Amino acid sequence: MSKLSPPLKALINASFARPGPLPAPSQVQALFQSIAQDASGRNLGVKSWLAISTATTFTLNSPDSLPVLHDVASQNGDPVQTAEFMREVGLKCISFNGIPRTINCLNAFYASLPKEIASQLSTTPSRRPTPQNIEATLARGRGLWDSVYRPFEDKLYEKLALSHPDLPMYILSHHYSGLLTDPPASDRGTLASVGRIHTSMAAVSCLRAQTGVGPQVLSHVFGLKKGFEDGTFRDDQDGEGEEAVRWLASDQGCEWMLRTIDRIVEVMGGSTFAPTSRESKL
């Protein structure tokens, strides 16, 4: 069995590399309560502020903040359904943050839940590709792609293909089709549906919290707006009503979303994707 030398172990865990997760700040409960109250005052449902808060927290890699978020969001709702929604948003964060942070946060979140809640969570996967569902899955993903990027959906695909021929194919087939769209209700069981609008809000939250990817933030803000303009929001299961989506897709609503993300990042100590200093002490 392979072993690592003490110097190599020390380098892997060097403090300048920030190898651990971000701890929950002492004021995180007050933060989430304030965001919840703010959203309620704007006639928004729980899922809107919860999608933003969950995606931002996953991006910042603060798993200890997730049970606090779950407690606040469950005060006026079913704790099992709240956990399922948070898990689903966290899963979709893979498309914007990569796999490791979602693994760490989902594992820690599940471990933090009381047994009476964790035991009721779905254990049946809903995204297994089969010969019978692959065409419908690809069509569903293409529909989301077109909705987000129209009228530049084909031009963008061609531009990405110049960078690498498999780049748009992978993004469209494995992310938009396989992850960012919700499987049919018949395949989901008790798994949550995030929907068109809240998926765009999660995308903006991840990208804004990362920093350094302004063009992608801009694209997905437009994607949120287009979800209202083309009417695809109407297919969202248990989503916001038309007037709430109209406001979320307005400039005022988008500013509120971005400022809410920024509040979370500030309270949690800043982005962990692009720290301002990185000096080796070894």
Side-chain angles (χ1 to χ4, degrees), residues 15 25 46 66 73 80 85 91 103 113 148 150 164 167 169 174 182 197 201 211 216 219 224 227 231 242 247 256 280:
S15 59
V46 172
L66 292 171
V80 176
F85 184 77
L91 187 72
I103 289 177
L113 292 170
V148 170
R150 189 177 288 118
H164 191 292
L167 179 59
M169 180 67 68
H174 295 278
D182 296 324
I197 293 301
M201 294 174 72
T211 71
Q216 285 75 24
S219 289
L224 171 60
E242 183 167 349
W247 185 81
W256 171 81
S280 175

Side-chain angles (χ1 to χ4, degrees), residues 11 22 71 81 113 132 205 219 233 240 277:
L11 183 58
L22 200 66
D71 287 345
Q81 293 179 6
L113 292 170
Q132 291 74 34
S205 300
S219 289
F233 75 92
E240 293 281 9
S277 64

Side-chain angles (χ1 to χ4, degrees), residues 70 74 77-85 116-118 120-122 190:
H70 178 262
S74 299
D78 182 275
V80 176
Q81 293 179 6
T82 299
E84 288 287 25
F85 184 77
E116 60 270 20
I117 296 175
Q120 296 183 64
L121 297 178
S122 176
T190 59

